[in-house]
Amino acid sequence: MWKTVRMSQDGACPGDFMPQNVNCPRVKLGQEFPGVAFRGHLRSLPILMEITSSSHARHGNHKENSPFLNASEAGKGGDYYDRNLALFEEELDIRPKVSSLLGKLVNYTNLTQGVKEHEEAESTDGSKKKVSKSPSMGTLMGVYLPCMQNIFGVILFLRLTWMVGMAGVLQSFLIVLLCCCCTMLTTISMSAIATNGVVPAGGSYFMISRSLGPEFGGAVGLCFYLGTTFAGAMYILGAIEILLTYIVPQAAIFHPSGAHDASSAMLNNMRVYGTLFLILMAVVVFVGVKYVNKFASLFLACVVISILSIYAGAIKSIFDPPEFPICMLGNRTLSREHFDVCAKTVVKDNITVASKLWELFCHSTNLTTENCDEYFLMNNVSEIAGIPGAASGILKDNLWSNYLEKGEILEKAHHPSVDVAGQKNSLHLYVLSDIATSFMVLVGIFFPSVTGIMAGSNRSGDLKDAQKSIPVGTILAIVTTSLVYFSCVLLFGACIEGVVLRDKYGDAVNKNLVVGTLSWPSPWVIVIGSFFSTCGAGLQSLTGAPRLLQAIAKDNIIPFLWVFGHGKANGEPTWALLLTALIAELGILIASLDMVAPILSMFFLMCYLFVNLACAVQTLLRTPNWRPRFKYYHWALSFLGMSICLALMFISSWYYALVAMLIAGMIYKYIEYQGAEKEWGDGIRGLSLSAARYALLRLEEGPPHTKNWRPQLLVLLKLDEDLHVKYPRLLTFASQLKAGKGLTIIGSVIQGNFLETYGEAQAAEQTIKNMMDIEKVKGFCQVVVANKVREGIAHLIQSCGLGGMKHNTVVLGWPYGWRQSEDPRSWKTFIGTVRCTTAAHLALLVPKNVSFYPSNHERYNEGNIDVWWIVHDGGMLMLLPFLLKQHKVWRKCKMRIFTVAQMDDNSIQMKKDLATFLYQLRIEAEVEVVEMHNSDISAYTYERTLMMEQRSQMLRQMRLTKTEREREAQLVKDRHSVARLESLYSDEEDETDPVPENIQMTWTKEKCDAEKRNRGSAVGSFRDLISIKPNQSNVRRMHTAVKLNEVIVNRSHDARLVLLNMPGPPKNTDGDENYMEFLEVLTEGLERVLLVRGGGREVITIYS
């Protein structure tokens, strides 16, 4: 019967396991076998699963691509779906084989964010595309040297000597130690983050944003961007200071008009030349980044040569100190700018004449003393060595601090002098302190000289092994630079005279750069080297900052920055460069290096603080994905680094620190409210999860106290056939009641099989979420798929919420049109839900005529919220209007409370008691007691009850006859007939006897007679409707409903909202339809009604 079929590559099929009556077709690999059945072992058939996809393609039914591998990739190798994996054929259709996945991961490459691809884009001519090379940089070239170049900067050459002179060697050691500890601890944290998986190009911004989330990432990313931009401004100002002070002072445009205008003229020169330099550098960066990149090694060489020259000069000073004499008047330091000879008199042609110094202090060319400065006359002029050398023992004089106020004269301690007041107009002849100094000021100025530790992580895309190179290279760079700083502090203190160290601009040493006086072979080595290295650092900042802004803009977390994500065709960030230049211009307009340095210190410290925070949070949360290869980290080190960062911020400048935090906080809140939602698996989400878990476990300890009780809502929504929300005003009402507080769960039920309607449920959930956003409902959404709607609602009521965060109140829509419909399912579902909430001891709110409820945009400037308190329900009726009045829609409405008094009640006393009760509850409301007199049951009530029962009986008979007709139709059906489909809401089969799907009857004469009698009785029962008499219990209930409705309509017909006790459903289910009628009568003639049913516990208290 069966033949063997073996497929070969050419399509031959000899053999076994083949039906004998089936001809063997010529089949290629990838074809279907129409009408061929196979039996036996699947592994003997090496058939590609591509069969199905190719057949689909033939029928125009394209299969969706796999999320891992494209169909084309899957089809490249004939052995992709191996015969050994036949058991996993269905999984392999949507998931990759392990070998394919590993191959893709190994070939993963990432482009650098900065320079490389732009350089290639500019160098290629468009017709030829270069094959992208894999990253090949090692630790030395990729991390160590770039970090060194970024860390060493303008502060080392222009301000370190001044810092040592002001703070002394010991406090300078402390400043360097603090700053280097901060960067070292930050590097340890950064190394842990950088080695926790592949770090794409993007550096610190990428690490922080993916570790702490888009809000922190955006805020810190922008802080880092601003820091880098202001660093560019600081480097440009440093370059201009070197140029105008030490290289070409005659290039100054503005000159001081008086003795005291020197500083303002210098600032204006800095502004003009700084702006010109900034424009020039921005043009260079715009024209081609490759030039900046090529000259980077030259700039680094300048830095290294300059530092080596300092060491060489320090060694030389031991046995041959350089000649830089300092002119002292008493113990005061004189500026050598105005005179050449350091003496009061000079001998010319054997005649003693007044020197230039005498002319400056006495305002005359002869040796008269009438107008001489008193301090000049009383003190001698002397010369001391500016560079005594390392063997001179000057170190002990420079150990201690010597902070000065602004305008104070530089004095040498223990130098002989007569302390008398001099003339004020002679002050410009001395070397003066230009700013007030203190330990805190010096920290803020020095800190930028240790920044730059992110240079390695910024180049992560170029590194061969970023996870190894970043920690090793960065830590080595910090150790190297720290040793250089410590040794420089020691050498400066040991070799240079204290007054020279405190001389910021070298006025006492003929306008030489102070650090240059120590260098060997010439001061020009340092001057030229520092100028070029500072220009290079400025170019690097103007290159890096726009790319950082572009990365933030492309992440689309800050909507208003989207324009900066675009640039030239090769990806160059043109707009970002323009904004960077404008911000840098602000720094240049400040024009003072000492003022700009603390600003960028703040932004860098903020960035480092959050790097440490990111590492600490990830470590403490122990998230499964936190597996750094760098093992030498600890959360305590991260917290220590974070603390040092915070301390340094406030030490250096507390007001700058507050401004930086304010900027970061504003960006954070902006991203939180306006930014795009991003899920990056960040640590803050994990922190939120841990906090939520902790809070839920605490809530589980017991039910909330009455004082803390508030309605936690489960809103049951009905969806139409198109899965749209049928009554969106239910959501509006929920948002007005909650005002964003507490728990709100929006639930809905879709009828069907979960496996078949899962997609429908997802779509419904998304629809509800969109509607929740529109109506400003803050809460959760849950859609349940169930065979019956009533079962689904019961599941929602039982299982929604988690732990102590469970709902205590159900909001249920009214079943409109239940009277007109022959189908009883809607009102039966409604009553079933009422019974479920009662059984679960939950409160129930039923807004009737919800379409007339106000939207969130409406305002009620007047009107009443009327509460009809008929039975005590735990205080729900009192609490709900109070909560509604917190919302702007209902805020101006007044609250009125009505209660009903019977004949034997004292209505006056009741009113007093109720007013006292409300006063103790701290609720403002008018109180009215309505008296209901005993009256006879009216004819209208009797008639209304009769109509209700007749209608109920008629519908029951109609359903019965319908059942009979179905039974009769069923009899003529074939025994193999297809089972009837269930209706949309199949709840009715619970209430009525199910009709058997296949009735097989043997007809006898007795059975035939019984069937005829049944039909006769059904017809006779229609005649009995006329003579029906209403049930007395129903008449009494109808009487109550009618009387109450009359009173309520009379008093509350113009109320904005009427709250009313909802009577419970009857215990006997036979009276369910009558119950619905009673509710209709009770609320007739009222525009907006909220039926309230308490959950069986007190929800409001008079106690504090």
Side-chain angles (χ1 to χ4, degrees), residues 7-13 24-36 38 45-56 58-59:
M7 300 295 164
S8 60
Q9 290 288 339
D10 61 353
C13 54
C24 174
R26 300 286 292 178
V27 188
K28 300 288 183 187
L29 282 173
Q31 275 188 323
E32 278 189 304
F33 291 86
V36 180
F38 292 95
L45 300 175
I47 303 167
L48 276 180
M49 286 189 65
E50 193 67 17
I51 290 171
T52 53
S53 61
S54 62
S55 67
H56 281 311
R58 282 201 305 273
H59 292 91

Side-chain angles (χ1 to χ4, degrees), residues 87-96:
L87 183 62
F88 297 95
E89 282 178 345
E90 290 184 5
E91 284 81 1
L92 287 171
D93 209 20
I94 57 170
R95 295 184 175 88

Side-chain angles (χ1 to χ4, degrees), residues 151-203:
I151 292 170
F152 287 134
V154 65
I155 302 294
L156 169 63
F157 303 118
L158 292 185
R159 294 290 182 269
L160 190 59
T161 53
W162 173 73
M163 185 187 85
V164 174
M166 290 294 179
V169 173
L170 295 180
Q171 288 194 23
S172 297
F173 268 135
L174 182 59
I175 292 172
V176 174
L177 182 66
L178 264 176
C179 296
C180 291
C181 280
C182 174
T183 52
M184 179 60 84
L185 291 170
T186 304
T187 301
I188 290 170
S189 298
M190 184 191 76
S191 301
I193 298 171
T195 58
N196 186 46
V198 179
V199 180

Side-chain angles (χ1 to χ4, degrees), residues 817-866:
W818 68 272
R819 279 174 170 164
Q820 290 74 27
S821 172
E822 291 183 16
D823 194 354
R825 283 170 298 204
S826 63
W827 58 263
K828 284 188 175 178
T829 302
F830 174 81
I831 297 175
T833 307
V834 174
R835 287 198 171 99
C836 279
T837 55
T838 306
H841 301 291
L842 302 176
L844 178 67
L845 307 180
V846 181
K848 198 162 180 283
N849 302 329
V850 75
S851 303
F852 296 113
Y853 277 55
S855 69
N856 284 326
H857 305 294
E858 294 179 46
R859 302 282 185 281
Y860 286 151
N861 293 322
E862 56 182 2
N864 299 311
I865 299 176
D866 286 358

Side-chain angles (χ1 to χ4, degrees), residues 45-177:
L45 300 175
I47 303 167
L48 276 180
M49 286 189 65
E50 193 67 17
I51 290 171
T52 53
S53 61
S54 62
S55 67
H56 281 311
R58 282 201 305 273
H59 292 91
N61 211 355
H62 294 288
K63 195 175 180 183
E64 185 179 341
N65 284 342
S66 159
F68 298 99
L69 292 171
N70 296 330
S72 59
E73 290 174 347
K76 281 177 186 174
D79 60 343
Y80 175 68
Y81 291 104
D82 201 292
R83 71 183 74 181
N84 297 323
L85 300 177
L87 183 62
F88 297 95
E89 282 178 345
E90 290 184 5
E91 284 81 1
L92 287 171
D93 209 20
I94 57 170
R95 295 184 175 88
K97 258 197 332 184
V98 174
S99 57
S100 308
L101 179 67
L102 291 176
K104 285 204 145 199
L105 291 176
V106 167
N107 295 327
Y108 173 82
T109 58
N110 47 13
L111 292 172
T112 173
Q113 184 181 332
V115 175
K116 194 169 156 188
E117 72 274 23
H118 301 309
E119 187 180 325
E120 289 178 358
E122 287 182 0
S123 57
T124 50
D125 55 359
S127 59
K128 286 187 176 181
K129 293 275 184 180
K130 283 190 179 179
V131 179
S132 61
K133 296 179 181 177
S134 60
S136 58
M137 279 192 176
T139 305
L140 180 71
M141 295 299 294
V143 182
Y144 181 72
L145 292 180
C147 281
M148 291 268 288
Q149 183 184 354
N150 277 268
I151 292 170
F152 287 134
V154 65
I155 302 294
L156 169 63
F157 303 118
L158 292 185
R159 294 290 182 269
L160 190 59
T161 53
W162 173 73
M163 185 187 85
V164 174
M166 290 294 179
V169 173
L170 295 180
Q171 288 194 23
S172 297
F173 268 135
L174 182 59
I175 292 172
V176 174
L177 182 66

Side-chain angles (χ1 to χ4, degrees), residues 233 237 267 270-272 275 582 584-592 596:
L237 288 173
L267 291 179
M270 299 273 276
R271 290 183 182 111
V272 173
T275 304
L582 289 173
E585 178 63 19
L586 294 176
I588 284 166
L589 291 177
I590 295 172
S592 169
V596 174

